[in-house]
């Protein structure tokens, strides 16, 4: 009895396999599954932060990282996004893989953090850009990756976006950009803020060339990214539930001294207030983008 009272408390819950299949959430968020007396390896399952439904990781990946319980959209890495969107799941040509972040302001520890993100993500920066095929249609695409410095926009991110836009103008191809960012990268100071003007100027040139730009805003898209290229699309699309804004909710409430609506800065709120054109479920994103590209592509006899 004393052992039961004073025994060391386990930091995880043990869930029978039949319980897991029903998606029963655990109070502390950690799960250990036991099947035939064996523990399931760590990382085999994911718990939805919204409804608590437990998913096998492979099942979640097959469902495009969308919760089957509440349709919550988990974040996707840039390679995952490209694999789900493009024909054969790859870029036919990747741009500017040689660009690497420097430390122009001598910010302490900055390059060490960048190097750690490089190792963890197998990326050189927070965005992948290149050309690919979308249902056989050539497109230029950029995909930001929030695993890398929260996809903050520094000099390299801004330069890669700008060069991708210039490639779209030169090759007369549509440009599709998936944004996911915390904003400008503070370690690069005013150099990161300059990217807002640079990318916007490049998009103005793309517009003069009468080429399509579709901006897809994912969760979250904030700061200088939302205030520049992410909001300048011919079509501005967001995923369900994506948080989009400039400053955060708490900062705005403290500034205006008013309580904001509960759904403030969600994709649905912005759609209702005219700041978005569409909110598109991830399973429909490929077909929606394909139709938009097809609508705006000049074909023989049309």
């Amino acid at each position: 009895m004393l052992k039961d009272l004073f025994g060391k408390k386990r930091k995880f819950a043990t869930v029978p396999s039949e319980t897991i299949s029903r998606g029963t959430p655990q109070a502390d968020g950690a799960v250990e599954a036991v099947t035939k007396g064996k523990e399931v390896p760590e990382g085999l399952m994911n718990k939805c932060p919204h409804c608590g439904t437990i998913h096998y990781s492979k099942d979640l990946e097959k469902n495009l990282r969308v919760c089957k319980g509440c349709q919550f959209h988990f974040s996707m890495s840039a390679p995952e996004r490209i694999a789900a969107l493009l024909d054969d799941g790859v870029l036919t040509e990747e741009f500017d893989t040689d660009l690497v972040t420097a430390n122009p302001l001598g910010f302490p520890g900055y390059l060490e953090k960048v190097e750690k993100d490089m190792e963890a993500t197998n990326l050189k920066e927070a965005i992948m850009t290149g050309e690919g095929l979308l249902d056989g249609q050539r497109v230029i695409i950029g995909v930001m990756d929030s695993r890398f410095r929260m996809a903050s926009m520094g000099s390299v991110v801004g330069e890669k976006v700008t060069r991708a836009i210039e490639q779209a103008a030169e090759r007369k191809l549509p440009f599709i950009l998936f944004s996911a960012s915390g904003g400008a990268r503070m370690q690069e100071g005013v150099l990161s803020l300059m990217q807002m003007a640079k990318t916007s100027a490049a998009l103005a040139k793309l517009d003069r060339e009468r080429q399509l730009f579709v901006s897809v805003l994912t969760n979250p898209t904030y700061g200088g990214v939302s205030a520049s290229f992410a909001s300048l699309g011919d079509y501005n699309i967001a995923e369900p539930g994506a948080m989009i804004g400039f400053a955060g909710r708490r900062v705005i409430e403290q500034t205006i001294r008013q309580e904001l609506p509960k759904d403030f800065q969600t994709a649905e709120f912005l759609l209702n207030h005219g700041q978005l054109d569409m909110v598109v479920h991830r399973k429909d994103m490929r077909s929606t983008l394909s139709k938009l590209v097809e609508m705006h592509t000049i074909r023989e006899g049309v």
Side-chain angles (χ1 to χ4, degrees):
M1 189 174 79
L2 291 176
K3 181 179 179 182
D4 294 335
L5 288 174
F6 300 104
K8 185 177 179 182
K9 187 177 180 181
R10 304 180 79 180
K11 295 182 180 179
F12 50 82
T14 298
V15 186
S17 57
E18 62 271 15
T19 303
I20 294 169
S21 64
R22 292 197 298 268
T24 303
Q26 299 303 303
D28 61 358
V31 175
E32 177 190 3
V34 178
T35 306
K36 295 182 180 179
K38 294 184 179 180
E39 295 184 359
V40 177
E42 183 180 355
L44 191 67
M45 289 175 291
N46 290 268
K47 179 181 174 183
C48 176
H50 276 211
C51 70
T53 299
I54 298 168
H55 306 268
Y56 283 108
S57 297
K58 289 185 178 180
D59 291 339
L60 189 62
E61 290 172 7
K62 290 179 182 178
N63 203 41
L64 299 178
R65 296 188 61 78
V66 175
C67 175
K68 291 183 178 180
C70 67
Q71 302 303 302
F72 172 75
H73 285 48
F74 288 77
S75 62
M76 294 184 83
S77 67
E80 286 175 331
R81 184 82 64 178
I82 289 170
L85 187 72
L86 297 180
D87 297 358
D88 298 324
V90 295
L91 294 167
T92 54
E93 178 185 357
E94 187 174 354
F95 301 152
D96 305 309
T97 56
D98 59 330
L99 293 183
V100 180
T101 294
N103 191 5
L105 303 183
F107 200 95
Y110 177 41
L111 288 183
E112 288 77 7
K113 292 178 179 178
V114 169
E115 288 172 1
K116 286 183 180 179
D117 282 355
M118 287 182 178
E119 293 176 4
T121 63
N122 201 28
L123 300 174
K124 289 189 176 179
E125 249 302 337
I127 189 170
M128 291 179 66
T129 58
E131 181 180 328
L133 294 175
L134 178 60
D135 283 339
Q137 304 170 108
R138 293 174 62 201
V139 295
I140 303 297
I141 187 172
V143 184
M144 302 186 78
D145 195 317
S146 58
R147 299 175 302 161
F148 198 112
R149 298 288 91 205
M150 195 47 226
S152 52
M153 178 172 61
S155 301
V156 173
V157 170
E159 182 66 17
K160 291 188 72 169
V161 171
T162 300
R163 292 189 185 188
I165 296 168
E166 291 173 345
Q167 287 290 345
E170 181 180 338
R171 302 184 188 193
K172 307 295 184 185
L173 295 176
F175 179 48
I176 301 171
L177 179 61
F178 285 82
S179 297
S181 177
R185 191 171 297 181
M186 57 168 286
Q187 293 91 341
E188 296 184 26
V190 70
L191 296 177
S192 65
L193 297 179
M194 288 170 58
Q195 309 309 314
M196 296 173 63
K198 183 169 73 176
T199 53
S200 298
L203 285 172
K205 179 181 178 181
L206 185 70
D207 184 62
R208 290 194 296 271
E209 296 292 330
R210 302 181 65 81
Q211 296 303 314
L212 176 68
F213 170 41
V214 181
S215 177
V216 184
L217 296 89
T218 68
N219 185 44
T221 301
Y222 274 98
V225 170
S226 70
S228 57
F229 58 82
S231 299
L232 295 177
D234 297 308
Y235 293 92
N236 291 325
I237 301 173
E239 291 186 329
M243 299 300 297
I244 301 162
F246 183 66
R249 180 191 187 95
R250 183 176 60 182
V251 172
I252 297 173
E253 287 186 330
Q254 290 175 347
T255 301
I256 66 175
R257 300 184 183 281
Q258 293 182 19
E259 186 177 350
L260 297 168
K262 290 184 179 180
D263 61 346
F264 180 69
Q265 291 187 331
T266 63
E268 292 75 12
F269 180 90
L270 297 180
L271 178 66
N272 291 334
H273 289 77
Q275 291 184 265
L276 290 173
D277 298 300
M278 287 181 274
V279 174
V280 179
H281 195 285
R282 192 172 287 167
K283 66 181 176 60
D284 300 320
M285 188 64 71
R286 175 181 164 89
S287 61
T288 299
L289 293 175
S290 179
K291 289 176 183 177
L292 290 176
V293 170
E294 185 177 9
M295 283 169 54
H296 292 271
T297 299
I298 298 175
R299 301 183 183 279
E300 186 177 353
V302 179

